[in-house]
Amino acid sequence: MIDDGAEPAAAEAVNAVDRFWESTVNGRSMRLKVPPAKRLLDLVRDDLGLTGTKRSCEIGRCGACMVLVDGAPVNSCLMMAYQCAGRDIVTIEGIADENGGLHPVQRAFLEEGGYQCGYCTPGMIVSVKALLDAVPDPSPEELEEALSGNLCRCTGYGGIIRAVRRAIEEGRENR
Amino acid sequence: MLLNRRNSGDRWRIRPDGPGKVTGGLAYLTDLTAPGMLHGLVLRSPHPHARILSVRTEAARSLPGVAAVLTRRDVPGLNRFGIARQDQPVFCEDRVRYVGDAVAAVAAKTPEIARRALGLIEVAYEPLPIADDPELALRPEAPQLHPDGNVLHSKTFRTGDVGPIFERCARVVEETYVTPRQMHAYMETEGGLFVPGENGGVAVYAPTQHGLMDRLQLARILALPKERIRVVSSPIGGSFGGKDELNVQPYGALLALATGWPVKIHNSRRESVRAGLKRHPMIIRMKTGTDENGRLLAHRVRIIADTGPYATLGAEVLNFATEHAVGAYRFGCVDAESISVFTNNGMSGEFRGFGGNQAIFALEGQMDRLADLLGMDPWEFRRMNLKSPDEPGPFGQPIAKTDGLAVVWTAVKESRLWRERTEGASAAGSSGLRNDKDRLPASEGSGQPQKAEERSPWMKIGIGAAMVMHGAGLGYGIPDPSGGRLALRGDGKIEVAFGFEEFGQGLLATLELMLIERFGFAPGDIRIVIGDSDAVPDSGSSTASRATSMMWRSLGLLQRPFEEKLLRAAAEVCGVPARQLRLGAGGVWGRESGERALSYEALAGRLAEPIVCEASTSYPVSDTDIVGAHYLYAYAAVAVKVEVDGRTGRVRVLDQFHAVAAGPVMNPQGYLGQIEGGSSMALGYALMEEAAMERGKYATNNFDTYLIPTIADLGGSVEVWPIEDLPEGDEHGPRGVGEIGSVGLAPAIAEAVRRAAGVRIDRLPIDPARLQEALPIGGMAVMSDDR
Ligand code: FES
Ligand code: FES
């Protein structure tokens, strides 16, 4: 042990690679080999091919990579894959219902034009869904608070705010 | 009528690219992968200026998993790029001139191996003295970036000798305006997939604003015939001018060809910041004088632009800035001289507004200062000096005649916000109280919680406004061709093809709506083809607010011939005269019967060949000999209300009103989005955005230190008021609105802040510390010239 100081770490890494990562992603159980240093963002995009989750700043400032982990919005660029092992992960691809029917928030974005280039849109919609699931009738301050981690360079947020208002109203009517 | 969903009726449509965007299903070009794909990375200079003594790649090459390491020796063709002038090295040879300069590129099995390989490339540099101040860079003793020195371009426009006229002026304002290096900050960083082809060619899937221009540039670099390069360039996660020039395409294409494998490159944000274009920082000195009645007599302009190390469109941006520094006003005499200077700072280049943002910030600042000096209402002062529709453009060139200036001026004059400013002042009962902001009445219906109406003494409100006259198209002296194609294809689809790009502006939606409204097609009849150099005609670049105009014009040219051909073919099939038929939703309809005679599919099935019509046209240009002078303009006037917090110096934008005269609204959702989105960029420009550089290195590399507006900055109301009228006989139709929204808000905010805090703004972004000083808590605002 004294002579081969590097060995244990290497052995541990190999073990970690061999350990399986299990979680639910968009309602489906997943079992994958995942290196310990893998970020959730890379797992979702590269291993699962779910490219609706976007990569933009990679430091937790823009929200383009937002996913839900146990219902809470999380910047997937800041989370390691192993941290969400065994948890329930939902990406933008899992927001619509099983038959592909759009979620009311998605519909509201479509109808109000709450997007332009669309690159921020998946993350934005994930954040809005998380907010409205938790607070169906948010105040303007709550809305600002919940979405100020989602940057949009194209829209100036006008269409986004109108889309969220519409989603709130529809939610109200359907209650 | 205010532009919104309700007022737009069924012209407010779901965009064809919308479902893919809200479900995450739409694959951007940086989302693409291919079997066996390698990962590419570019090694960039750590120095703003250095000699390259040697580049050694052996160690990197021998790293397992590395497929190729390329340097300048591996460029088969021209080792240079640049849309207007090819002076930027693909790989540097003996010198690096900025921290984004590329020295080598690597393709490897994984991104990790590629990164390790970059670290193994040994480059020996000898740092050189840097030129990081454009004014100092003009001195003879400054380090010279290029054999011809440090001047990229200069532009002069002079109508006479202003010197003696200033002596006769009753009022003269002289000011130096300094504008920041703004970052495009598109959410999708540069990147794409590069796939080698069987014929020795390459397919390039990478965002750009003009796929055919990329193809031309890549053909030069790769020494390949253009036909062997396919450029797929849409959809794009934002560009704003920033992806107009080549970025990673040369490296991806070279690596794919060198390895024979698909290569993916997707810039990190850090690399995007470091290598990418920014808005030109400018120093603009203006001296402007009037007679005692407020008539403008003389205007002297000196612009120094920091263009960074290479040209891209720096010369064209400078021409534009010079033109727009003269702008919409009738000056007795103009003397403008501008210069664009090479430095070892980051690359400056094309950015929405194209030099107009800087120039108009300065020009409108002059108008507000002069009005104040004259004791006149700033809006009335502008009216007195605005050109009439019969007068020529800024460079004295003929321009398309419209009432644009007058109508947007009036719209702001009658706006709720402007009335709030002026009536607030008259309600104060004395002109001496003009600047007493606290007497302004509450804004009504601004959509903003007006908790501040009972304002603490340190919360100050101000309203300001600005005029914008913004050129569209590339301007005189730059070929500006366009065109498009309409076809009935074998599967019965009406296929429309343009060489334009969709970077979010809603080009697909605009095109779809144009086809529906002009031809009566149903959305399901239409297939839109853009963004693929193998499949589109050359329409020119999606830039300079020109795409909408050019689609409108091309479809106008195509309408008759295409309809005639379709109807003639249908007449033959149906055995009725063509004049009894018309095109409509789903097929050809009987004019009299009101019934569908033939579906497009059935018609296509009876044709031996598809019906294809092509149109070529070009952007209208002024009859002048002044390079860069425009013929078509869009006009806007912006009013804004802000709140300044004396404790923090923070400025909050509470309420905006934008009047825009740019001809008919082709796509209401797109138009509104362009003005709202553009103005939020202007808000960032005015209040927070600056990619500062220290000694040639970026002091920022991501969104933790480069702040762009968030939803919390844009909670206030934004009203957009399009004025669609054009003079009778105008043949030019819609003027684009892609840029104009990004211009006027910044100078309007500067004036609003002046009203609120008594500080004249001569530098963007506005420094909160200056406002804090001006508004001591518990004290009164003191009017000052901030000097
Ligand atoms: S990419 Fe994760 S927050 Fe920006
Ligand atoms: S729509 Fe482009 S960033 Fe939001």
Side-chain angles (χ1 to χ4, degrees):
Chain A
M1 286 309 283
I2 296 163
D3 290 328
D4 53 7
E7 284 292 301
E12 215 173 81
V14 171
N15 282 342
V17 170
D18 283 338
R19 224 175 278 144
F20 280 97
W21 177 90
E22 288 178 65
S23 283
T24 316
V25 179
N26 297 336
R28 289 174 47 202
S29 312
M30 298 273 174
R31 197 172 139 83
L32 291 171
K33 275 190 194 174
V34 175
K38 184 154 253 172
R39 299 177 304 176
L40 179 58
L41 171 64
D42 301 320
L43 177 108
V44 164
R45 280 180 64 82
D46 302 341
D47 299 70
L48 304 180
L50 298 171
T51 56
T53 302
K54 299 302 182 198
R55 168 179 179 250
S56 183
C57 73
E58 300 179 88
I59 56 164
R61 297 298 289 224
C62 75
C65 64
M66 201 70 80
V67 300
L68 300 176
V69 175
D70 292 342
V74 163
N75 286 318
S76 63
C77 67
L78 292 186
M79 199 167 217
M80 303 310 284
Y82 73 81
Q83 290 178 293
C84 32
R87 299 170 73 178
D88 181 29
I89 298 164
V90 177
T91 69
I92 184 69
E93 289 88 349
I95 300 276
D97 67 29
E98 303 82 67
N99 312 319
L102 294 184
H103 186 276
V105 172
Q106 290 173 312
R107 247 193 347 259
F109 269 73
L110 258 190
E111 286 167 6
E112 294 294 333
Y115 60 92
Q116 285 179 29
C117 82
Y119 204 76
C120 70
T121 311
M124 195 71 77
I125 287 175
V126 166
S127 289
V128 173
K129 174 182 156 45
L131 169 69
L132 299 190
D133 284 351
V135 189
D137 213 339
S139 67
E141 289 76 20
E142 284 170 316
L143 183 69
E144 273 181 16
E145 167 89 32
L147 294 188
S148 54
N150 286 83
L151 299 179
C152 174
R153 188 54 154 172
C154 298
T155 62
Y157 305 97
I160 293 171
I161 295 170
R162 290 188 287 273
V164 178
R165 283 207 200 113
R166 183 183 178 92
I168 295 170
E169 269 162 40
E170 279 184 11
R172 217 180 273 147
E173 283 161 20
N174 295 336
R175 268 200 301 277
Chain B
M1 196 160 50
L2 279 183
L3 186 54
N4 55 35
R5 179 172 173 213
R6 187 159 31 101
N7 290 344
S8 304
D10 56 12
R11 300 193 74 215
W12 185 277
R13 299 171 48 77
I14 289 179
R15 290 169 54 150
D17 51 350
K21 288 182 173 177
V22 303
T23 58
L26 178 73
Y28 292 75
L29 301 169
T30 50
D31 292 332
L32 303 181
T33 56
M37 171 181 97
L38 301 169
H39 297 267
L41 280 180
V42 179
L43 181 70
R44 298 185 186 274
S45 167
H47 302 288
H49 198 191
R51 207 183 310 284
I52 299 178
L53 302 175
S54 64
V55 182
R56 299 175 60 101
T57 58
E58 296 79 3
R61 274 179 220 275
S62 55
L63 185 71
V66 170
V69 181
L70 306 183
T71 67
R72 66 186 175 89
R73 290 179 215 286
D74 304 297
V75 179
L78 179 69
N79 187 26
R80 291 284 183 280
F81 64 95
I83 294 175
R85 188 207 273 203
Q86 292 76 55
D87 68 347
Q88 180 160 4
V90 176
F91 291 118
C92 292
E93 290 139 12
D94 55 348
R95 228 159 121 194
V96 290
R97 295 180 182 81
Y98 87 113
V99 290
D101 250 340
V103 178
V106 168
K109 284 210 163 114
T110 68
E112 293 72 30
I113 299 174
R115 200 162 308 122
R116 234 178 309 143
L118 277 197
L120 293 175
I121 300 173
E122 300 155 64
V123 188
Y125 294 101
E126 177 194 319
L128 295 170
I130 64 167
D132 67 339
D133 176 319
E135 292 190 278
L136 298 182
L138 287 172
R139 298 211 184 141
E141 67 274 18
Q144 302 293 302
L145 270 78
H146 296 283
D148 294 337
N150 289 344
V151 175
L152 163 65
H153 180 65
S154 52
K155 178 82 176 175
T156 303
F157 175 70
R158 190 175 286 127
T159 63
D161 185 2
V162 289
I165 305 177
F166 278 124
E167 275 162 34
R168 294 204 324 262
C169 284
R171 297 282 190 276
V172 175
V173 163
E174 205 172 349
E175 183 73 276
T176 301
Y177 300 87
V178 180
T179 66
R181 187 184 307 277
Q182 185 179 31
M183 181 156 74
H184 303 74
Y186 26 74
M187 285 295 120
E188 181 192 34
T189 56
E190 308 80 359
L193 184 68
F194 305 85
V195 183
E198 274 145 31
N199 57 357
V202 62
V204 170
Y205 299 85
T208 178
Q209 293 188 201
H210 189 189
L212 289 163
M213 174 58 77
D214 281 21
R215 189 178 70 162
L216 170 68
Q217 292 217 64
L218 288 169
R220 287 183 196 134
I221 295 166
L222 304 173
L224 280 178
K226 283 187 289 191
E227 300 66 41
R228 284 209 239 145
I229 303 169
R230 176 178 177 203
V231 175
V232 175
S233 35
S234 284
I236 303 173
S239 179
F240 317 112
K243 293 173 186 163
D244 197 21
E245 186 58 88
L246 288 183
N247 44 72
V248 301
Q249 296 91 338
Y251 311 104
L254 285 165
L255 289 167
L257 288 170
T259 60
W261 287 95
V263 173
K264 175 158 186 172
I265 300 186
H266 190 182
N267 273 350
S268 67
R269 180 63 59 181
R270 179 187 282 260
E271 186 153 15
S272 170
V273 172
R274 174 179 178 182
L277 305 181
K278 309 286 179 299
R279 192 185 295 290
H280 283 79
M282 291 189 190
I283 302 164
I284 304 181
R285 299 196 167 84
M286 284 185 177
K287 181 174 178 183
T288 313
T290 69
D291 65 15
E292 62 280 2
N293 300 320
R295 301 241 169 247
L296 291 167
L297 298 182
H299 187 44
R300 187 172 179 278
V301 179
R302 295 292 180 268
I303 300 177
I304 297 180
D306 177 353
T307 208
Y310 304 109
T312 185
L313 296 184
E316 292 70 18
V317 168
L318 188 75
N319 290 343
F320 199 98
T322 312
E323 181 186 21
H324 289 72
V326 180
Y329 302 101
R330 187 189 310 112
F331 294 104
C333 187
V334 174
D335 169 9
E337 265 177 38
S338 310
I339 189 159
S340 193
V341 186
F342 287 122
T343 68
N344 298 113
N345 290 327
M347 279 290 294
S348 301
E350 36 279 39
F351 193 157
R352 191 183 211 174
F354 210 73
N357 318 59
Q358 298 93 318
I360 291 171
F361 166 64
L363 178 63
E364 291 300 288
Q366 290 295 91
M367 296 303 134
D368 285 325
R369 282 161 177 73
L370 279 166
D372 204 40
L373 207 56
L374 287 153
M376 288 179 70
D377 173 84
W379 212 239
E380 288 300 329
F381 171 71
R382 283 174 172 81
R383 187 190 53 77
M384 249 178 78
N385 290 293
L386 281 176
K387 283 184 174 168
S388 69
D390 296 317
E391 287 178 90
F395 281 155
Q397 83 278 23
I399 62 172
K401 207 165 151 175
T402 84
D403 259 344
L405 284 173
V407 294
V408 297
W409 183 90
T410 306
V412 158
K413 168 87 179 161
E414 292 170 355
S415 69
R416 168 175 53 75
L417 273 178
W418 198 255
R419 287 206 318 267
E420 183 177 324
R421 170 167 158 147
T422 48
E423 283 159 25
S426 64
S430 144
S431 61
L433 288 173
R434 264 184 70 222
N435 295 316
D436 190 345
K437 282 74 54 186
D438 291 341
R439 301 208 176 195
L440 293 178
S443 149
E444 275 155 307
S446 73
Q448 178 66 27
Q450 289 296 316
K451 49 179 181 275
E453 284 325 321
E454 292 283 307
R455 275 170 217 280
S456 330
W458 50 80
M459 295 298 240
K460 301 289 178 184
I461 292 285
I463 292 171
M467 293 287 301
V468 180
M469 169 175 180
H470 204 262
L474 303 184
Y476 174 79
I478 305 165
D480 205 353
S482 194
R485 188 176 64 225
L486 267 179
L488 175 63
R489 292 292 176 194
D491 61 356
K493 288 283 183 198
I494 308 284
E495 185 186 276
V496 59
F498 281 96
F500 291 125
E501 311 294 344
E502 173 65 66
F503 34 74
Q505 77 276 43
L507 182 118
L508 295 171
T510 302
L511 193 47
E512 185 186 74
L513 189 54
M514 282 178 174
L515 288 167
I516 293 170
E517 293 185 336
R518 193 181 271 272
F519 293 89
F521 300 140
D525 300 335
I526 302 165
R527 176 166 57 231
I528 300 178
V529 177
I530 62 158
D532 180 347
S533 65
D534 275 7
V536 299
D538 194 358
S539 305
S541 184
S542 312
T543 192
S545 307
R546 68 192 285 287
T548 300
S549 298
M550 289 298 93
M551 294 191 304
W552 181 87
R553 199 177 168 98
S554 301
L555 291 178
L557 293 170
L558 288 166
Q559 184 165 11
R560 279 271 300 275
F562 188 63
E563 275 179 354
E564 275 173 14
K565 281 192 186 178
L566 249 63
L567 294 179
R568 217 176 311 133
E572 233 165 81
V573 175
C574 303
V576 296
R579 69 188 133 73
Q580 289 179 13
L581 299 170
R582 65 169 181 84
L583 301 185
V588 180
W589 294 65
R591 279 190 190 279
E592 302 277 278
S593 69
E595 278 173 21
R596 193 172 77 178
L598 195 63
S599 73
Y600 292 123
E601 210 181 329
L603 176 57
R606 302 289 292 268
L607 295 173
E609 293 192 340
I611 293 176
V612 183
C613 290
E614 298 219 18
S616 23
T617 177
S618 62
Y619 203 90
V621 45
S622 176
D623 181 12
T624 177
D625 56 5
I626 301 181
V627 172
H630 288 83
Y631 183 60
L632 294 188
Y633 291 83
Y635 303 86
V638 184
V640 66
K641 177 171 168 180
V642 306
E643 175 188 76
V644 180
D645 185 336
R647 295 167 304 180
T648 59
R650 282 233 336 152
V651 178
R652 252 176 88 83
V653 172
L654 302 179
D655 202 351
Q656 306 175 38
F657 174 75
H658 298 260
V660 183
V665 175
M666 289 292 103
N667 169 10
Q669 194 184 104
Y671 194 115
L672 179 62
Q674 286 303 305
I675 303 305
E676 287 181 333
S679 68
S680 100
M681 274 188 158
L683 185 150
Y685 193 53
L687 299 182
M688 62 190 81
E689 295 185 33
E690 176 158 32
M693 305 207 76
E694 287 160 12
R695 308 271 318 137
K697 296 189 179 174
Y698 279 101
T700 182
N701 56 43
N702 208 325
F703 293 135
D704 52 346
T705 44
Y706 189 90
L707 302 183
I708 65 171
T710 71
I711 198 165
D713 298 301
L714 281 143
S717 137
V718 182
E719 291 181 341
V720 176
W721 183 271
I723 301 165
E724 304 187 72
D725 311 315
L726 289 172
E728 205 157 323
D730 179 277
E731 324 173 313
H732 308 299
R735 286 39 165 173
V737 292
E739 298 176 279
I740 195 161
S742 73
V743 181
L745 185 64
I749 288 175
E751 166 64 5
V753 166
R754 203 275 307 171
R755 291 277 288 190
V759 177
R760 288 238 176 261
I761 304 302
D762 53 15
R763 177 186 280 266
L764 298 180
I766 297 172
D767 180 1
R770 291 169 74 173
L771 305 184
Q772 266 175 317
E773 279 163 32
L775 290 174
I777 295 175
M780 288 297 292
V782 184
M783 298 303 293
S784 85
D785 267 351
D786 191 39
R787 264 166 305 180

